[in-house]
Amino acid sequence: QAQLEESGGGLVQAGGSLRLSCAAPGRTLSNRNRGWFRQAPGKERELVATIGWRDTTYYADSMKGRVTISSDNAKNTVYLQMNSLKPEDTAVYYCAADIQVATKSAKHWGRGTQVTVSS
């Protein structure tokens, strides 16, 4: 099972930006659908964005226009640039790989990184 490591979470004021990173040391994930989920307290897990083969992307409506997913295959790393953050974006953000967009599921997961947006 691929081990994924997230970084870049933290506390930011509303309107601010954060960039999350997801690395897969020792693994090659460039041909897998990779991306990010999030889960806020008391809410269901939500698929935020994915990037797949030939850099095809998917974005959830809730964050479309405010996030950009990208990858650096040489570094085996996926990024999530989040702008114009809102308090409702507060959640634990999980990196994932082998994502099935239709079922909102994934085979490989990171441990998550907390993003807190203050008003």
Side-chain angles (χ1 to χ4, degrees), residues 28-34 51-54 73 76 98:
T28 300
L29 297 176
S30 60
N31 60 343
R32 300 181 178 183
N33 210 23
R34 302 146 295 160
I51 186 166
W53 188 58
R54 291 186 177 177
N73 292 335
N76 216 22
D98 273 339

Side-chain angles (χ1 to χ4, degrees), residues 16-39:
S17 299
L18 282 175
R19 188 176 83 153
L20 306 182
S21 300
C22 173
R27 300 282 182 168
T28 300
L29 297 176
S30 60
N31 60 343
R32 300 181 178 183
N33 210 23
R34 302 146 295 160
W36 298 87
F37 289 78
R38 68 180 181 180
Q39 188 164 21

Side-chain angles (χ1 to χ4, degrees), residues 44-66:
E44 293 187 355
R45 185 179 63 200
E46 176 187 18
L47 178 60
V48 175
T50 69
I51 186 166
W53 188 58
R54 291 186 177 177
D55 289 344
T56 54
T57 57
Y58 162 87
Y59 293 102
D61 288 342
S62 59
M63 296 200 80
K64 193 174 292 184
R66 299 189 294 122

Side-chain angles (χ1 to χ4, degrees), residues 78-100:
V78 175
Y79 304 97
L80 186 71
Q81 177 67 44
M82 303 188 294
N83 302 319
S84 301
L85 285 165
K86 305 174 182 179
E88 51 264 42
D89 294 321
T90 295
V92 178
Y93 284 71
Y94 296 92
C95 178
D98 273 339
I99 297 172
Q100 297 293 326

